[in-house]
Amino acid sequence: MSIYALRHDEASCIGCQACEVHCKTNKGLGPGPSPCKIISTGPIDIGGVPRVRHTFMPCFHCEEAWCVKACPTGAMKKREKDGIVHVVAALCVGCKSCITACPWGTPQWDPGTNKVVKCDYCMDRVDAGLDPACVTKCVTGCLSFGLANEVPDPRRERYAHFVLAEPARGV
Amino acid sequence: MNTTMAPNVKAVSAPGKRTVYSICGMCSVRCPMEVTVEDGRATWLQGNTHDQAQGASLCAKGAAGLALEADDQRPQSPLIRSGPRGSGQWRRASWDEALDHIADKLKQTIEQHGPRGIAFSDRGGFFGDLSRTFVKALGSPNYFNHDATCGGNVHNAARSIYGFSHAGLVPDFNHIKHVVLYGRNIVESLMVKEVKAFMGALGNGMRCTYIDPRASATAAKATRFWQVRPNSDYALNLALIHEVLRQKAYDEDFVERWVSGMDVLREAVKHTTPDWQEPHTGVPARELREFVAEIAGQVPHVIFNPGWMTARHKQSFFVSRTALILNALMGNLETPGGFTLAKGPEYYGRKSLKPLAARAPAVTEPRVDGAGTTHPTWDPAIGMLHQLFAAMETAQPYGIGAYIAYRHDPVTAMPDAEAVKQALDKAALVVSIDVRYSETGWYSDVILPESTYLERANILGQLPGPVPVFTMRDQAVAPRFDSRPAWWIFREILRRLGKMEALDFETIEELWNYQLEGTGVTVADMRESGVVRLATSPKLTPRDQLKFPTPSGKIEIDSDLLKQAGLPAFPPYEPKTAPSGDQFTLLFGRPPVLAHGQSLNNPILREIAPEQVLWIHPERAGPLGIADGDEVEVSGGGSYVGRLKAKVTPWIHREAVFMLHGYGATVPLATRALGVGVADQRLQHGKLYEFDPAGGGNALTETIVRVKAAARQGVSA
């Protein structure tokens, strides 16, 4: 796996889909491909109150990435230094093997170039010391990015507050 | 082309990379932002990090600004109508020709009706000085903002109690313990700074009571959800006040010192007990008492959001008014964890921007809508737009010959599009100034393409707040088409009428320098960060030194304005009859990716816009033979019938149905939005002239629609 983590704190996510547009505009994509996606379901009844659940679906950047193995031209690569799985556009012939191979539907078809595009954690930004576009401009700050053990994780602290001190807060 | 002819065609295409400070124009919230420009192209938009509350955040609409810029489906030159209104027959015109045409028609209007026969509307906001100056320089009192279908009721309610607009109340989310929202859908009808602070506060343990017939995405974040009957919130508030007084769950010292008219209040809520409200609202009396007991321990860190879009029903003004009174009872004004009062520059010993409006001669004619005269509770500074259309129809109290809609689309924003068009038919000139093809533009005589917010500079804005700021929208890129900024358009119209003095500036820098005179801030300072704070940190006025701009200097429950209007301080609650059979109260709302009718043609936003569905309760859908996902037909009494899928869910009240607003567009040149979904405003049949008499806002959610299962289409036997 990549040395990074892109964490989604669902409790502070509002499902506004800004991340999707930040991603697309940063990559110059038009309608069609969506390298990251917020999937929302609800409202559903959780203990008598309505709740909407949000899942953030970028790329897992797998250790043994099926898309990389499926790619016949070597366009889909895993970057040695940090494990980011990315497409080299110049090598992509648009065969869609990676789209077929990925169990999570991560690689996206770009009708603008007839090639594949996917979440690469905005590696050009990462290399410049910046966060991915989705994280940088997230409305509520529910997305965070960094080295896997250094990304802030509010969940434990929130749970501890709930259990120890302020059960009224909920989780 | 020189800068006088098109002042926004200038050296913005220089090679290299630079940052330009701007203000988002994708909705009327107008978030501060920065634009990265590379070789003359905007390549990255983000929030202006010099504004801490904003940070780099932008919403989906804001980020899709790049797609607006790249879009060809917007007016590319002035257009003059060449066929009947609404026929879609246009001819391209030069700016000179279009402006001369407008000026000739305005002269005719002035001859026939006087200058007061010219009316103008926009969507308010902190660039309003320019619009107001333009209208004043024309010699007309008839400037309107969009608040007849937005915040007019809450704005006027706040004036009736505090003497200032609700915009003067800034919640201190860092310390609030409990926020109460009356359908204020912070999470979806979102303002970036507000939702960011709101979610942060919830994460820190703030409680939220959310009141709405529908479980919106905000309900899904709240700690308590009251699924009230539609339009019953005034009854709820009368009972809340009753119970707050009974349990003494209020700040007695604050009320004693700063609130007048408590006797009138006590009398009004004497019998409005929790049990009394239960059949009206559906909120169990026990839950209401528990809620009051809970907030009793949180006073004064409890705020009742008085509303934003409050054009709902004919007692909406009194919903906002009672919510504002609950705030006074909480004693939450000018205290940490309550509302901080917004301050102007003078509070901190600084100087305000010099108003452009001062350059135009005073207008003494009364307003055509009676705001401030026959309707004392309606603020003449914002007007009430439906009464403009009434005057067009009837020529009473006087005739209106010309109407200019500036980045405002009343055919979409006002109820009953057909009635709006019928009124427009009586005007000799209708002009739309916009960056896009709006429904109103399509029904106008002349479309003037304003440059997009990335292609133009605006006048400087001033925002009162805990720390007041000056804010700048600088020009980031050259316009892609033959468009102009509004200040230039207004100046050129005034020039042709021989009334140019008020806006006699050759360049925007010259105009900015005028605004900044004596403020100690320079154009260079503004360009450095886009937002200039006029104090280092917020200051609270000591509570014993508060002064409210009311006749008594106190918070006035027994309002002088209402007395002048001959209206009671607290009318009795008007009980609502539950619609039955195939009839429902029509509610509407927004998703976070759309701003009313202005977003759906954006290629990126169109892609992620949710499918418009009709929320309907299973117990009502069943007898009508409607199952989840079925196509249904919705009608509002006029000839328009909408067809969409049903979302059968218990999270909408039995008496109501809900759909998203901003769909059902008809402009053929905006192909992505064309014909997508249902226009709720066209279902609001007969509602153009139905409004809350006290606040003036339209009664949009009093619309009753009929719903039936749709006949199957395209299924062969």
Side-chain angles (χ1 to χ4, degrees):
Chain A
M1 299 287 276
S2 145
I3 61 171
Y4 304 113
L6 203 180
R7 179 153 289 135
H8 176 232
D9 178 31
E10 200 242 344
S12 51
C13 177
I14 56 171
C16 72
Q17 295 175 279
C19 48
E20 296 178 24
V21 184
H22 297 317
C23 171
K24 289 179 69 128
T25 51
N26 185 48
K27 292 192 182 308
L29 301 172
S34 205
C36 71
K37 197 80 201 151
I38 288 278
I39 314 284
S40 301
T41 53
I44 50 173
D45 188 327
I46 305 281
V49 287
R51 289 292 177 257
V52 177
R53 292 300 187 211
H54 310 289
T55 310
F56 181 60
M57 299 284 285
C59 171
F60 292 113
H61 297 272
C62 305
E63 182 61 30
E64 298 281 334
W66 298 9
C67 58
V68 173
K69 292 185 176 176
C71 179
T73 66
M76 189 69 81
K77 290 190 185 306
K78 186 169 148 156
R79 191 157 83 158
E80 191 86 5
K81 69 170 180 180
D82 54 13
I84 289 179
V85 177
H86 64 106
V87 190
V88 179
L91 298 179
C92 177
V93 296
C95 71
K96 309 185 188 72
S97 298
C98 56
I99 295 178
T100 309
C102 175
W104 298 283
T106 296
Q108 299 281 302
W109 178 252
D110 179 7
T113 58
N114 288 333
K115 294 182 183 200
V116 159
V117 61
K118 72 176 284 295
C119 166
D120 57 6
Y121 286 156
C122 298
M123 53 197 264
D124 54 328
R125 291 180 57 82
V126 173
D127 289 346
L130 302 168
D131 280 335
C134 58
V135 175
T136 305
K137 300 196 272 183
C138 172
V139 168
T140 64
C142 71
L143 295 177
S144 48
F145 179 82
L147 292 170
N149 277 329
E150 294 175 8
V151 190
D153 186 348
R155 290 172 299 182
R156 282 204 285 204
E157 198 186 332
R158 193 185 303 129
Y159 186 71
H161 273 287
F162 168 66
V163 178
L164 299 175
E166 299 165 86
R169 282 163 67 147
V171 271
Chain B
M1 211 177 291
N2 66 37
T3 57
T4 309
M5 288 158 68
N8 54 338
V9 178
K10 54 178 191 185
V12 288
S13 306
K17 185 171 174 175
R18 61 206 174 88
T19 298
V20 178
Y21 292 100
S22 181
I23 291 163
C24 186
M26 295 299 286
C27 82
S28 51
V29 173
R30 302 176 180 91
C31 293
M33 63 166 208
E34 51 186 82
V35 186
T36 304
V37 179
E38 294 178 74
D39 302 329
R41 281 183 56 241
T43 55
W44 173 264
L45 308 178
Q46 69 167 45
N48 184 345
T49 51
H50 290 100
D51 183 334
Q52 271 191 344
Q54 179 79 23
S57 301
L58 275 188
C59 77
K61 300 173 294 263
L66 290 176
L68 168 73
E69 191 53 37
D71 193 4
D72 290 349
Q73 289 190 7
R74 48 186 171 105
Q76 301 184 8
S77 77
L79 296 171
I80 299 178
R81 179 167 64 82
S82 59
R85 271 202 190 137
S87 65
Q89 292 166 273
W90 301 94
R91 63 183 170 83
R92 284 175 180 269
S94 68
W95 278 94
D96 270 340
E97 187 191 358
L99 293 166
D100 287 347
H101 175 82
I102 290 169
D104 286 347
K105 293 279 188 183
L106 290 177
K107 282 177 196 161
Q108 287 169 24
T109 296
I110 292 169
E111 269 171 36
Q112 197 184 339
H113 303 281
R116 68 185 187 177
I118 304 170
F120 174 104
S121 70
D122 68 9
R123 288 178 300 162
F126 49 75
F127 297 130
D129 186 23
L130 180 71
S131 296
R132 290 191 162 89
T133 302
F134 174 55
V135 181
K136 194 178 170 200
L138 285 169
S140 172
N142 291 315
Y143 163 84
F144 297 82
N145 77 6
H146 66 301
D147 272 336
T149 51
C150 191
N153 282 329
V154 59
H155 172 90
N156 288 329
R159 287 175 73 241
S160 82
I161 299 166
Y162 299 138
F164 52 76
S165 169
H166 66 301
L169 303 172
V170 184
D172 171 25
F173 275 118
N174 286 331
H175 306 96
I176 290 169
K177 291 184 177 159
H178 200 139
V179 61
V180 182
L181 304 171
Y182 303 83
R184 168 68 195 108
N185 190 0
I186 288 177
V187 164
E188 289 176 287
S189 299
L190 67 85
M191 301 193 250
V192 170
K193 286 193 222 181
E194 181 188 36
V195 72
K196 208 171 181 170
F198 173 76
M199 291 306 297
L202 285 176
N204 286 327
M206 179 184 74
R207 303 273 296 167
C208 174
T209 294
Y210 183 79
I211 300 155
D212 194 329
R214 179 184 76 106
S216 68
T218 306
K221 295 292 185 187
T223 44
R224 177 189 280 105
F225 171 49
W226 279 338
Q227 190 175 42
V228 288
R229 292 184 60 206
N231 303 329
S232 68
D233 35 8
Y234 180 43
L236 180 74
N237 273 2
L238 289 173
L240 281 174
I241 295 173
H242 173 99
E243 192 60 16
V244 162
L245 296 177
R246 194 189 68 81
Q247 291 192 27
K248 291 201 174 355
Y250 63 98
D251 184 334
E252 292 182 69
D253 292 341
F254 183 86
V255 167
E256 172 68 25
R257 175 68 185 83
W258 290 111
V259 181
S260 78
M262 283 299 287
D263 48 334
V264 177
L265 183 67
R266 285 180 196 282
E267 182 61 27
V269 301
K270 199 158 65 182
H271 305 297
T272 61
T273 63
D275 290 304
W276 164 82
Q277 64 81 46
E278 185 169 320
H280 292 305
T281 68
V283 175
R286 174 186 50 80
E287 287 187 27
L288 194 151
R289 289 191 195 97
E290 283 168 8
F291 163 81
V292 173
E294 181 187 331
I295 62 167
Q298 297 162 331
V299 173
H301 308 297
V302 182
I303 68 164
F304 291 79
N305 183 300
W308 188 17
M309 202 305 291
T310 46
R312 292 186 177 140
H313 55 81
K314 294 197 196 82
Q315 292 191 316
S316 279
F317 172 90
F318 290 99
V319 176
S320 292
R321 195 171 140 73
T322 42
L324 290 158
I325 287 171
L326 280 159
N327 286 313
L329 294 176
M330 296 301 109
N332 65 19
L333 299 173
E334 204 66 343
T335 188
F339 285 115
T340 307
L341 301 181
K343 283 107 184 163
E346 281 71 15
Y347 182 87
Y348 290 102
R350 302 291 296 264
K351 204 163 168 291
S352 287
L353 291 177
K354 204 166 163 185
L356 293 164
R359 296 166 64 95
V363 175
T364 51
E365 293 279 356
R367 294 184 55 90
V368 76
D369 57 1
T373 50
T374 51
H375 294 285
T377 46
W378 299 3
D379 186 356
I382 64 171
M384 272 303 148
L385 190 60
H386 46 78
Q387 288 306 294
L388 171 68
F389 297 122
M392 280 183 194
E393 279 280 3
T394 61
Q396 295 298 326
Y398 52 80
I400 296 290
Y403 172 50
I404 300 169
Y406 168 49
R407 288 182 41 67
H408 184 210
D409 184 12
V411 176
T412 300
M414 301 298 288
D416 200 342
E418 302 314 314
V420 174
K421 287 180 181 176
Q422 197 180 306
L424 293 177
D425 285 343
K426 305 280 170 53
L429 176 71
V430 178
V431 178
S432 165
I433 305 173
D434 210 330
V435 301
R436 66 184 192 97
Y437 294 114
S438 70
E439 298 288 304
T440 306
W442 203 246
Y443 204 71
S444 67
D445 304 320
V446 185
I447 297 177
L448 297 179
E450 190 182 22
S451 305
T452 68
Y453 65 100
L454 296 174
E455 297 168 342
R456 73 174 187 262
N458 280 59
I459 66 168
L460 298 174
Q462 175 176 311
L463 277 93
V467 171
V469 298
F470 294 156
T471 184
M472 166 186 261
R473 176 186 281 152
D474 201 357
Q475 185 188 346
V477 296
R480 288 183 57 228
F481 304 117
D482 190 13
S483 61
R484 298 286 189 278
W487 69 269
W488 182 94
I489 297 172
F490 296 162
R491 184 194 74 185
E492 289 302 303
I493 293 173
L494 291 176
R495 182 204 295 275
R496 283 164 173 77
L497 296 172
K499 298 178 171 188
M500 193 174 79
E501 297 76 14
L503 291 176
D504 187 10
F505 302 102
E506 280 304 307
T507 63
I508 192 70
E509 284 84 359
E510 201 185 299
L511 191 158
W512 287 341
N513 279 324
Y514 167 83
Q515 289 185 284
L516 288 170
E517 247 174 65
T519 61
V521 178
T522 65
V523 170
D525 297 335
M526 294 302 306
R527 283 201 158 121
E528 191 71 24
S529 57
V531 176
V532 169
R533 291 162 63 90
L534 299 172
T536 44
S537 57
K539 211 169 75 182
L540 292 176
T541 306
R543 297 254 280 198
D544 55 354
Q545 291 167 31
L546 287 173
K547 180 146 178 54
F548 295 90
T550 55
S552 62
K554 288 186 173 189
I555 296 169
E556 290 187 353
I557 287 179
D558 197 13
S559 159
D560 203 45
L561 275 172
L562 281 165
K563 277 182 198 152
Q564 287 172 35
L567 294 166
F570 300 96
Y573 173 70
E574 288 167 13
K576 307 292 180 291
T577 312
S580 59
D582 64 349
Q583 297 193 26
F584 297 84
T585 298
L586 176 64
L587 306 178
F588 59 89
R590 275 166 62 180
V593 302
L594 300 179
H596 312 303
Q598 76 180 91
S599 314
L600 201 57
N601 204 53
N602 182 295
I604 300 282
L605 297 176
R606 170 72 186 89
E607 183 187 18
I608 59 173
E611 183 187 1
Q612 194 193 30
V613 292
L614 188 78
W615 293 45
I616 183 169
H617 195 278
E619 287 174 18
R620 298 290 307 284
L624 296 172
I626 296 166
D628 190 44
D630 281 358
E631 291 265 328
V632 294
E633 283 182 4
V634 190
S635 58
S639 58
Y640 181 76
V641 177
R643 190 181 167 110
L644 73 174
K645 275 187 189 152
K647 176 188 170 94
V648 178
T649 169
W651 297 110
I652 177 78
H653 196 278
R654 286 167 186 75
E655 294 172 21
V657 288
F658 168 89
M659 67 171 68
L660 292 171
H661 174 68
Y663 291 70
T666 66
V667 179
L669 292 185
T671 61
R672 303 175 207 102
L674 177 65
V676 177
V678 177
D680 62 308
Q681 72 275 9
R682 297 182 70 189
L683 294 168
Q684 292 162 350
H685 181 71
K687 294 290 173 194
L688 180 57
Y689 304 121
E690 298 224 346
F691 53 90
D692 181 324
N698 279 97
L700 300 179
T701 63
E702 291 189 4
T703 302
I704 300 291
V705 292
R706 289 179 183 272
V707 178
K708 65 173 184 181
R712 291 255 163 82
Q713 281 178 345
V715 178
S716 55

